[in-house]
Amino acid sequence: MSVEVFDVAIIGYGPAGATLANLLGQLGLSTLVLEREANIYPLPRAIHFDGEVMRVFETAGLRHEVETISRPGLKGMYFNNAVGETLLIRAGTSERGPHGCATNHYFHQPELEAVLREGVRRYPHVKVRTRHEVTAIEDGNQAVTLHVTDLPLAQSYTVKARYVVGCDGARSLVRKVMGTSMRDLGLHQPWLVFDVRLKTEVPGLPDHTVQHCDPARPMTYCNVTGNRRRWEIMLMPGDDPEQLVQPETLWALVGKWVTPEQADIERAVIYTFHSVIAQGWRKGRLLLAGDAAHQTPPFLGQGMCAAIRDVSNLAWKLHAVLAGHTHHTLLDTYESERSPHVQAFIELAVKLGDIIQTTDPQAARERDARFKAGSPEIFQFPAPRLGSGVWQGEQVPVAQVFPQPLLANGRLLDTALGLNFAVIGDETLLSTVSVDTRQRWQTLGVVTLPALDPEIQAWLQHHSVRAVMLRPDRYIMGMAQTGHDLDELSDLLPTAVLAH
Ligand SMILES: Cc1cc2nc3c(=O)[nH]c(=O)nc-3n(C[C@H](O)[C@H](O)[C@H](O)COP(=O)(O)OP(=O)(O)OC[C@H]3O[C@@H](n4cnc5c(N)ncnc54)[C@H](O)[C@@H]3O)c2cc1C
């Protein structure tokens, strides 16, 4: 029997694998998804994603569906001390922040994964096999061979793919096969995660996330969606993990906010939060994404967000290489761009962890004084630049994500761009590029958008440039003052290898 060959095989159908499957489906690549489990992991894990991540879902054509199962969080996250004074606030935004939506969104992870999986059904060239476990991987010159077990039939078979993406979680087999080690960023701490469903209105429960930075027992409270509420509770010296997950202990821990008469337990599990980054995200035809490549403590709600940014960065690069537009070394820019970006988020989460996890009362008093308890500093999510890769120019915001303005026709920018490169700028400037550049834009389907919309004109003016070039993941590839600048920038486009 002949062995099936796919452009891409994705191992693991969590949020990273399911989002990548949607993007590759949209890009027309033949894709196989292999997942060991029969169903979506049913218990709550991630509850927050940010505005940039909503844009990826929007690009995948799923914004409306994601909005139906999530809620915008307008207030942000409050860090309060033991007596309830606020030390620090991670800002929220109004409905339309810089990404054309709220900055924070709250959701129940199994419901989001169901939306993503439903989205994949739009693409007949994306095959999904659940209860199929990958047991061995052999990288080769032309393709990767995967050894797979069909678990219900207890039968093994092989399948080939030109590239394999390990979206296979923290204990990744792909990472092991690649021989990739993890760099430790220093935080490893057990926390109890306690999810409840309210049976009734509970007066006094905040509608936003609160980090209770109480040295006697650090805790996080989260309003998730609907009647779901979560407490994350730090383990203290002397805690007995088995005792901690008993209902009477759980209710005693959250007794000042909620009682068993007011809520049902959904689950209580102890997780150890880690802060690690893989060193080597690509080896030959094997790549890593999501928790397989990095893990962060959840103090910023960014683990899954980083996974979604990974696959948004990787999808168009895989397409460019597989379509023969460029050399496979483009895939090396995946790690060089993403690794420092995710590191900035993890380092901030670790720093916030140090603030939250202070258990020495004297140190907590000093912390409160340092943060001027009661007159809180407000901070935003970081917007790190990508590490070196497919972009050019020293000037910030090059290599940062472009905002999503509202166009004069009432549509948001991303709906006009699709999964394409784009040039947005002064109409006369766009007409001065060379014939070679114009041809390159045409070959690659680069969207050219004259800057007629007031929000775009204001952005260009603010940065004193006449045009901006965007990648399909909406990161800024470069900015231009002249047609010649645009010609130079266009050398970075993946058509470059073929064109020269
Ligand atoms: C308590 C908690 C709170 C969190 N809160 C947030 C938050 O608010 N915001 C946020 O952004 N993130 C949060 N996270 C992190 C988020 O849940 C993870 O980052 C995310 O689930 C990672 O997705 P993934 O697709 O990379 O991996 P996973 O979701 O782990 O998926 C990996 C999949 O691979 C499959 N698999 C593994 N090996 C094989 C194999 N050999 N063959 C076939 N299939 C295989 C597994 O069965 C699994 O389905 C939180 C995590 C926890 C634990």
Side-chain angles (χ1 to χ4, degrees):
M1 207 174 82
S2 67
V3 173
E4 296 167 289
V5 185
F6 292 85
D7 287 331
V8 180
I10 299 171
I11 305 179
Y13 207 22
T19 306
L20 182 59
N22 274 286
L23 298 177
L24 298 183
Q26 207 173 335
L27 289 164
L29 296 179
S30 73
T31 303
L32 173 66
V33 184
L34 295 162
E35 165 59 54
R36 180 170 45 211
E37 301 300 326
N39 299 308
I40 291 169
Y41 184 68
L43 294 177
R45 288 185 290 166
I47 55 169
H48 165 273
F49 65 82
D50 61 34
E52 184 185 342
V53 166
M54 179 59 110
R55 277 174 85 177
V56 179
F57 297 142
E58 182 177 341
T59 300
L62 296 171
R63 175 165 171 169
H64 172 70
E65 288 77 358
V66 172
E67 278 173 347
T68 60
I69 54 100
S70 61
R71 68 171 183 89
L74 307 182
K75 275 202 187 154
M77 174 161 73
Y78 283 55
F79 293 70
N80 291 353
N81 66 9
V83 294
E85 294 165 322
T86 303
L87 306 173
L88 204 57
I89 300 173
R90 195 208 67 220
T93 54
S94 62
E95 288 286 338
R96 194 162 76 82
H99 294 292
C101 57
T103 305
N104 303 295
H105 302 262
Y106 290 87
F107 69 106
H108 178 54
Q109 185 167 335
E111 289 177 355
L112 176 69
E113 291 190 36
V115 164
L116 295 172
R117 289 186 180 197
E118 192 54 38
V120 170
R121 291 159 68 91
R122 294 171 296 176
Y123 305 108
H125 49 284
V126 180
K127 309 273 180 246
V128 177
R129 294 181 193 159
T130 54
R131 297 292 282 142
H132 284 237
E133 181 174 21
V134 177
T135 53
I137 301 166
E138 291 163 50
D139 197 1
N141 275 344
Q142 300 298 320
V144 184
T145 304
L146 297 177
H147 296 260
V148 185
T149 303
D150 177 334
L151 296 169
L153 295 179
Q155 276 176 3
S156 295
Y157 65 97
T158 56
V159 64
K160 286 182 188 285
R162 293 173 69 196
Y163 285 95
V164 166
V165 187
C167 299
D168 50 349
R171 294 194 204 109
S172 170
L173 170 70
V174 180
R175 194 179 66 227
K176 270 186 215 119
V177 171
M178 288 166 64
T180 287
S181 60
M182 294 300 243
R183 187 153 49 93
D184 189 345
L185 298 180
L187 186 144
H188 305 274
Q189 173 66 42
W191 279 66
L192 166 66
V193 179
F194 177 35
D195 289 278
V196 305
R197 299 193 75 158
L198 301 180
K199 294 186 274 195
T200 172
E201 283 280 306
V202 179
L205 269 186
D207 59 357
H208 57 281
T209 304
V210 181
Q211 300 285 357
H212 295 284
C213 309
D214 178 354
R217 173 73 82 179
M219 287 197 197
T220 309
Y221 159 80
C222 314
N223 172 10
V224 187
T225 47
N227 63 353
R228 286 198 159 87
R229 302 291 182 274
R230 171 178 292 176
W231 280 266
E232 294 173 0
I233 300 166
M234 185 170 135
L235 266 67
M236 301 293 281
D239 277 340
D240 170 0
E242 261 177 48
Q243 187 54 40
L244 218 51
V245 294
Q246 299 307 314
E248 61 278 11
T249 322
L250 294 168
W251 290 120
L253 283 166
V254 299
K256 66 174 153 169
W257 297 286
V258 68
T259 66
E261 288 69 42
Q262 294 170 313
D264 289 325
I265 296 177
E266 188 164 33
R267 67 85 182 251
V269 179
I270 293 171
Y271 282 96
T272 297
F273 298 157
H274 295 290
S275 51
V276 288
I277 301 188
Q279 288 182 288
W281 298 29
R282 173 186 179 212
K283 189 169 180 204
R285 294 177 176 275
L286 305 178
L287 295 131
L288 298 174
D291 276 15
H294 41 71
Q295 289 144 51
T296 175
F299 303 122
L300 272 175
Q302 280 290 338
M304 185 196 78
C305 295
I308 306 302
R309 288 191 241 276
D310 289 346
V311 298
S312 171
N313 183 296
L314 185 56
W316 64 267
K317 292 179 181 173
L318 279 170
H319 177 256
V321 171
L322 284 162
H325 291 158
T326 190
H327 198 251
H328 66 81
T329 48
L330 174 69
L331 295 172
D332 291 328
T333 65
Y334 168 53
E335 176 174 8
S336 65
E337 289 185 347
R338 283 290 305 140
S339 180
H341 193 280
V342 68
Q343 183 170 335
F345 277 94
I346 299 176
E347 282 174 350
L348 180 57
V350 170
K351 254 194 221 159
L352 295 173
D354 288 344
I355 296 169
I356 300 160
Q357 297 184 144
T358 304
T359 52
D360 173 45
Q362 179 55 27
R365 274 191 293 277
E366 286 166 16
R367 173 200 66 196
D368 292 0
R370 208 168 55 246
F371 280 99
K372 300 191 181 66
S375 47
E377 183 189 317
I378 300 176
F379 71 98
Q380 309 281 345
F381 279 121
R385 300 183 91 185
L386 298 171
S388 65
V390 191
W391 53 271
Q392 195 169 282
E394 288 312 307
Q395 192 185 342
V396 171
V398 171
Q400 287 178 320
V401 65
F402 189 68
Q404 171 158 236
L406 192 64
L407 305 181
N409 63 11
R411 291 172 71 201
L412 285 163
L413 175 75
D414 291 357
T415 55
L417 304 187
L419 256 175
N420 296 300
F421 287 87
V423 186
I424 305 172
D426 182 311
E427 205 164 8
T428 32
L429 182 74
L430 299 191
S431 63
T432 62
V433 297
S434 70
V435 175
D436 190 27
T437 297
R438 190 151 300 283
Q439 238 165 27
R440 209 176 275 179
W441 289 359
Q442 234 162 31
T443 315
L444 199 63
V446 174
V447 177
T448 51
L449 200 71
L452 305 174
D453 306 277
E455 288 191 19
I456 289 182
Q457 283 173 348
W459 188 92
L460 292 171
Q461 219 163 37
H462 178 74
H463 294 287
S464 312
V465 289
R466 292 178 67 201
V468 59
M469 192 176 271
L470 305 183
R471 315 175 342 163
D473 56 15
R474 312 291 181 248
Y475 278 75
I476 299 173
M477 202 159 115
M479 303 195 292
Q481 284 295 4
T482 64
H484 179 67
D485 291 347
L486 283 176
D487 290 335
E488 275 191 1
L489 269 179
S490 298
D491 280 341
L492 294 180
L493 288 168
T495 48
V497 165
L498 291 188
H500 297 291

